[in-house]
Amino acid sequence: MVEDGILFLNEVDSTNTYLRHLLEVGEDETVQEGLMVCAEFQSQGRGQIDNTWESAKGENLLFSLLLYPTFIAPVDMFLISQAVSLGVKDMLVSHCGVSDISIKWPNDIYWKDKKIAGILVENFISGHSIENSIIGIGININQKEFLSDAPNPVSVSQVLGKDFNVNECAVIVRKAILDRYGLLLTGKVAKIKEDYFASLYRNSGFHSYRDSNGTFSAKIEDVLSQGYLVLRDESGAKREYAFKEVEFII
């Protein structure tokens, strides 16, 4: 049963896959914009580029959110990722009280140099518009120990030394994301872009990166509407990268 826009499940293979199935076979009242599917455990939780997402059962927030951003041109679809990232950050800062939260391009959520949340945005394009977006998100809330080979996970509980009600966090983060999405709906694109850049991990100063040609030092100069990261290296040369073409050396 959907309550307040959220469908809570005990276990599912992937909330993104489950929500996609609902979208294909469900009734209109069950697949309205803003529907969140939240699970205590995902047996096949997915991250970017076929990565998996480690999460102990019942300890973290695992969900997918449905949007119908038909007003956004496919060329500008990165705006969805920016708005969603800011919504997750808003929840962690305002509700959980975690400081030092940033967004590691394109949409990982970091506490200092550690990953506290991950986001997978799947946009489905029809003609010249985005028909729907399914946003899968994992937020480490109460997990105390991580066993996978992920390099730098951290949870809210590890940062603050206390546990949170996961279902309550689900309600708060849904509202936070929809509030940011509402800015896009009302044309406040500049606000989303400004806040996103201000929230970027390593958004000032020179830092180490690696691309196909090796390591180098550069500073973030811009993030383009299409989502490309623009770096300026120490020689003054501008370097532009799509997702997975450059690595942050942490």
Side-chain angles (χ1 to χ4, degrees):
M1 180 183 296
V2 177
E3 294 185 7
D4 298 324
I6 304 177
L7 175 61
F8 288 100
L9 302 172
N10 180 35
E11 182 173 337
V12 70
D13 54 355
S14 159
T15 56
N16 267 34
T17 301
Y18 187 93
L19 186 50
R20 170 56 51 191
H21 177 71
L22 276 186
L23 193 60
E24 292 171 350
V25 304
E27 301 295 331
D28 289 345
E29 62 268 20
T30 64
V31 289
Q32 294 182 2
E33 185 166 57
L35 174 64
M36 174 191 279
V37 174
C38 191
E40 288 191 12
F41 182 73
Q42 292 184 117
S43 58
Q44 299 175 34
R46 291 186 288 142
Q48 298 281 7
I49 314 299
D50 297 325
N51 292 331
T52 58
W53 182 264
E54 177 194 0
S55 179
K57 185 172 184 178
E59 294 186 0
N60 300 321
L61 183 50
L62 310 171
F63 67 94
S64 294
L65 185 71
L66 175 65
L67 299 176
Y68 293 117
T70 56
F71 61 98
I72 297 176
V75 70
D76 294 322
M77 69 174 63
F78 189 64
L79 286 170
I80 301 167
S81 183
Q82 290 175 302
V84 170
S85 301
L86 288 167
V88 175
K89 180 193 172 188
D90 291 344
M91 186 279 286
L92 289 169
V93 173
S94 63
H95 177 65
C96 297
V98 184
S99 58
D100 298 313
I101 293 291
S102 62
I103 302 168
K104 178 175 168 286
W105 176 85
N107 55 19
D108 282 339
I109 310 301
Y110 266 47
W111 172 75
K112 296 186 177 180
D113 290 326
K114 296 191 173 186
K115 185 174 178 177
I116 201 166
I119 299 171
L120 173 64
V121 180
E122 296 183 321
N123 295 308
F124 294 83
I125 298 171
S126 178
H128 299 290
S129 67
I130 302 172
E131 183 175 312
N132 59 71
S133 297
I134 294 179
I135 298 104
I137 301 177
I139 306 175
N140 297 328
I141 302 292
N142 295 325
Q143 190 159 339
K144 308 296 190 299
E145 184 180 4
F146 294 88
L147 303 177
S148 75
D149 58 359
N152 58 346
V154 71
S155 71
V156 174
S157 180
Q158 288 177 321
V159 173
L160 298 179
K162 62 179 181 179
D163 286 353
F164 286 79
N165 183 304
V166 175
N167 287 356
E168 183 178 300
C169 290
V171 174
I172 299 295
V173 77
R174 176 179 179 271
K175 182 181 184 303
I177 292 171
L178 292 179
D179 284 349
R180 287 290 186 170
Y181 180 66
L183 293 179
L184 295 181
L185 277 166
T186 54
K188 297 181 175 64
V189 172
K191 172 66 173 172
I192 291 295
K193 290 182 176 180
E194 177 184 345
D195 288 354
Y196 177 82
F197 191 86
S199 300
L200 274 180
Y201 176 72
R202 294 183 173 177
N203 65 356
S204 64
F206 284 85
H207 299 274
S208 296
Y209 299 88
R210 180 184 297 111
D211 63 12
S212 58
N213 296 314
T215 60
F216 62 97
S217 181
K219 62 180 179 179
I220 297 177
E221 184 166 286
D222 197 6
V223 177
L224 304 182
S225 296
Q226 298 85 357
Y228 293 102
L229 180 68
V230 180
L231 301 177
R232 182 79 64 176
D233 66 26
E234 289 183 311
S235 72
K238 185 166 71 173
R239 303 178 180 220
E240 189 175 303
Y241 297 97
F243 181 52
K244 289 295 185 181
E245 290 182 348
V246 66
E247 175 187 356
F248 290 66
I249 298 177
I250 301 174

